């Protein structure tokens, strides 16, 4: 089974990015009162708007009978392979912004560490959980 980030993932990240940029722009404008701070914040907003969709497309995973493979990242790519027999628990995190756009983040704990699988659809999380529990 292969999986990627969910449909609402881009909405979650862009909403958080825009809210943070707007807050930073307001604080810098209020604190310093110079227009070039606002231009810097708008530049950061533009960079995030271009980069985040590319990052969302980089979230990729595979689950088969022997292992879980996960790849996340564009500039700093992180690849992880975990044997299926090493898994101990499966958790699902759903913060309010994720819930608003129908996303979940899975935390897979195994012997020796944990894997965070970000911004998956709820049905993908259900299928992964079912397969990992061996039903």
């Amino acid at each position: 089974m292969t999986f990627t980030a969910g449909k609402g993932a881009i909405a979650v990240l862009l909403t958080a990015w825009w809210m943070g940029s707007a807050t930073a722009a307001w604080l810098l404008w209020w604190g310093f009162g110079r227009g070039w701070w606002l231009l810097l914040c708008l530049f950061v907003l533009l960079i995030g708007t271009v980069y985040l969709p590319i990052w969302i497309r980089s979230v990729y995973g595979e689950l088969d009978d022997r292992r879980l493979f996960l790849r996340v990242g564009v500039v700093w790519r992180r690849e992880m392979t975990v044997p299926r027999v090493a898994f101990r628990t499966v958790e699902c995190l759903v913060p309010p912004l994720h819930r608003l756009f129908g996303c979940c983040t899975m935390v897979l704990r195994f012997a020796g560490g944990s894997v965070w699988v970000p911004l998956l659809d709820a049905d993908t999380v259900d299928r992964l959980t079912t397969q990992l529990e061996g039903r």
Side-chain angles (χ1 to χ4, degrees), residues 105-124:
T105 295
M106 287 185 74
V107 181
L108 306 171
R109 302 200 188 277
F110 58 93
S114 63
V115 176
W116 287 65
V117 186
L119 301 167
L120 300 174
D121 284 332
D123 58 342
T124 304

Side-chain angles (χ1 to χ4, degrees), residues 47-61:
I47 294 297
T49 304
V50 170
Y51 176 74
L52 291 176
I54 296 169
W55 186 86
I56 288 295
R57 286 192 298 272
S58 77
V59 176
Y60 173 80

